[in-house]
Amino acid sequence: MTADKKVRVFKSEKDICLHAIKGSLRSFFISFLLKGGITSAIRLIKLLKGKMSLSQLIIGFFEKETFRFASMVGLYSFLWKLCNYLLNFYRGNTKPSKLNGAIAGGVAGLSVLVEDKTTRVAIAQQFSMRALQAGYNALEARKLYSFPHGDAILFGLACGSILYAYVMHPNTIPREYYTWMAKTSDVPIPMLEAYRDNLNRWMEDNKEANLPLWEQSFDKIHAHPQAMEIMTKYTNAHNGQMPMAPCVLSHPHSIACVPYWFTAFYKAASSMVPVYLSVNTIPLLLFKPQVFRQPIPTIKRILISTLTSSSFIGTLIIVFQSLFCITRMVEPNARDNRFLYYIYGVIAGTSSIFLEQESRRQELAMFVQKR
């Protein structure tokens, strides 16, 4: 917003209220269609696979989470417009006022109370990151401060913390996020729990390997028949101890590392295609439908963006998993170190994010910070 731009002039408080109500209704319906559309598009894959009925898909479009999200956005729009334009009206502002905008933004923030407690925390974290992002962009626009590839470094550091928590302290990240990470990386949760138990034993100076736990874990997930043999052979060679658990724990359905890496990449990337396809398509249909007047370039752009983003997720996972395996190939008899997983996360995050478009790197860096 430029300094010489004039504010919209209203004749009365009634006109301001009507304008705020119209804006609120528009925001509500657009947000409802956006949230419900993306959710339904992602679930469409389940419908095609026969894991969901058409009636469930339709009902899912109108679930309460969608209503809450749309209500929050609609209320935010109403409060901001009402407060901002009333302040302009009473103060006689003829030019945009940063103070009015800040006050209106603070009042509009109360709209988050529409959401449930868990979602409110997530939204508050996201808005905090956006505020920091806006501050950085303002400094960069004025050429007061700039950090080359700062988004990639920030993303890498955040990935280090997240993946360290994923391996060592899953209770510090949301349960649904932890479950999604394990599923996307194709590492069974029982394996992560058994590995964590072994590493904690070494930290507590109780070095004897808990083979019954490993055996139970392998049985739960129907692991490769040779997986337990590899673990037993390793512990026998180390006097019943497991200083560094073999990498078969991260790919118990395949005892070969390299084939697993490619399989993990494919599974992770393909699982994200419906998500990114929805995210790249639904907003265009709602906000820029005119771009589909040129369907071929638009569809090409959507597909390239979807494949790039999906490959980015697959690459992040394969880099982390390959580092896990390579460490054990190079030093199979060394003692494991929990801080290695922070380093692996930093390397995986920093290297993979360069596959993403430059315009999206900052978005991703801000998103993972709140995790």
Side-chain angles (χ1 to χ4, degrees):
M1 190 177 284
T2 56
D4 56 347
K5 185 178 178 181
K6 293 185 178 181
V7 298
R8 184 167 182 170
V9 178
F10 294 91
K11 295 180 180 179
S12 65
E13 294 92 334
K14 180 181 177 181
D15 290 341
I16 294 174
C17 290
L18 288 173
H19 175 72
I21 291 171
K22 289 178 182 178
S24 175
L25 291 173
R26 181 177 182 275
S27 297
F28 174 86
F29 286 116
I30 289 177
S31 301
F32 188 89
L33 292 172
L34 183 64
K35 170 78 171 172
I38 291 176
T39 302
S40 297
I42 293 171
R43 291 178 178 175
L44 183 61
I45 303 300
K46 289 185 177 181
L47 176 66
L48 297 175
K49 290 182 178 180
K51 296 181 180 180
M52 178 179 286
S53 65
L54 180 60
S55 59
Q56 287 176 313
L57 181 69
I58 296 172
I59 293 171
F61 184 90
F62 298 97
E63 60 189 5
K64 63 180 180 179
E65 287 80 6
T66 303
F67 277 102
R68 278 183 173 174
F69 174 77
S71 298
M72 184 200 71
V73 175
L75 182 58
Y76 183 95
S77 174
F78 173 78
L79 292 175
W80 190 89
K81 287 177 179 292
L82 183 68
C83 292
N84 183 61
Y85 288 120
L86 280 176
L87 286 170
N88 285 336
F89 183 78
Y90 290 128
R91 296 180 65 197
N93 295 122
T94 58
K95 293 182 179 180
S97 169
K98 294 179 181 178
L99 177 61
N100 291 354
I103 294 172
V107 174
L110 295 173
S111 61
V112 77
L113 294 173
V114 172
E115 288 282 6
D116 59 59
K117 185 177 180 180
T118 303
T119 308
R120 286 202 298 266
V121 172
I123 292 172
Q125 290 173 333
Q126 187 65 26
F127 269 57
S128 297
M129 291 300 104
R130 293 295 181 182
L132 292 175
Q133 181 184 14
Y136 173 80
N137 289 341
L139 291 173
E140 190 175 39
R142 292 168 174 77
K143 298 182 179 180
L144 297 174
Y145 180 79
S146 180
F147 196 101
H149 301 305
D151 45 14
I153 295 171
L154 191 62
F155 182 80
L157 293 173
C159 281
S161 298
I162 292 170
L163 289 167
Y164 174 79
Y166 163 70
V167 176
M168 295 305 305
H169 299 288
N171 58 312
T172 61
I173 53 180
R175 181 66 186 178
E176 64 276 9
Y177 192 55
Y178 171 66
T179 304
W180 174 81
M181 290 173 69
K183 182 179 179 181
T184 305
S185 60
D186 200 27
V187 178
I189 288 179
M191 290 291 93
L192 287 168
E193 292 171 347
Y195 169 75
R196 198 176 301 119
D197 172 79
N198 184 73
L199 191 51
N200 287 333
R201 282 169 171 266
W202 274 78
M203 291 168 61
E204 297 167 1
D205 205 26
N206 179 17
K207 300 178 182 179
E208 185 177 354
N210 188 355
L211 283 181
L213 177 61
W214 286 100
E215 193 167 6
Q216 291 170 15
S217 300
F218 282 131
D219 287 342
K220 281 181 185 177
I221 62 170
H222 306 293
H224 192 282
Q226 294 182 28
M228 194 61 204
E229 294 177 19
I230 294 172
M231 303 299 289
T232 305
K233 183 179 179 181
Y234 182 89
T235 53
N236 289 340
H238 292 83
N239 300 317
Q241 299 176 359
M242 198 178 296
M244 182 175 283
C247 64
V248 70
L249 75 91
S250 68
H251 45 84
H253 298 109
S254 170
I255 59 173
C257 297
V258 177
Y260 162 73
W261 298 343
F262 287 102
T263 302
F265 174 86
Y266 172 76
K267 284 185 176 180
S270 59
S271 70
M272 296 305 297
V273 167
V275 178
Y276 282 113
L277 188 61
S278 304
V279 169
N280 289 326
T281 305
I282 303 297
L284 286 179
L285 289 171
L286 290 175
F287 301 112
K288 295 182 178 180
Q290 67 273 12
V291 299
F292 288 96
R293 293 172 184 170
Q294 296 181 315
I296 294 178
T298 301
I299 293 172
K300 181 181 177 182
R301 224 169 24 247
I302 290 171
L303 291 177
I304 290 174
S305 181
T306 298
L307 292 175
T308 300
S309 296
S310 300
S311 298
F312 147 69
I313 295 293
T315 301
L316 191 154
I317 289 171
I318 197 176
V319 171
F320 183 82
Q321 296 287 3
S322 62
L323 288 171
F324 187 94
C325 293
I326 291 169
T327 303
R328 285 148 176 77
M329 293 177 188
V330 175
E331 290 288 345
N333 300 313
R335 178 179 170 178
D336 205 352
N337 189 316
R338 56 182 176 153
F339 295 111
L340 281 174
Y341 304 104
Y342 178 82
I343 297 172
Y344 295 166
V346 172
I347 295 172
T350 306
S351 57
S352 61
I353 197 174
F354 284 102
L355 287 175
E356 269 289 9
Q357 301 173 33
E358 189 173 355
S359 59
R360 293 204 67 238
R361 293 175 197 165
Q362 196 177 82
E363 301 287 328
L364 288 166
M366 290 297 104
F367 174 77
V368 296
Q369 288 306 304
K370 68 186 183 73
R371 297 295 177 183

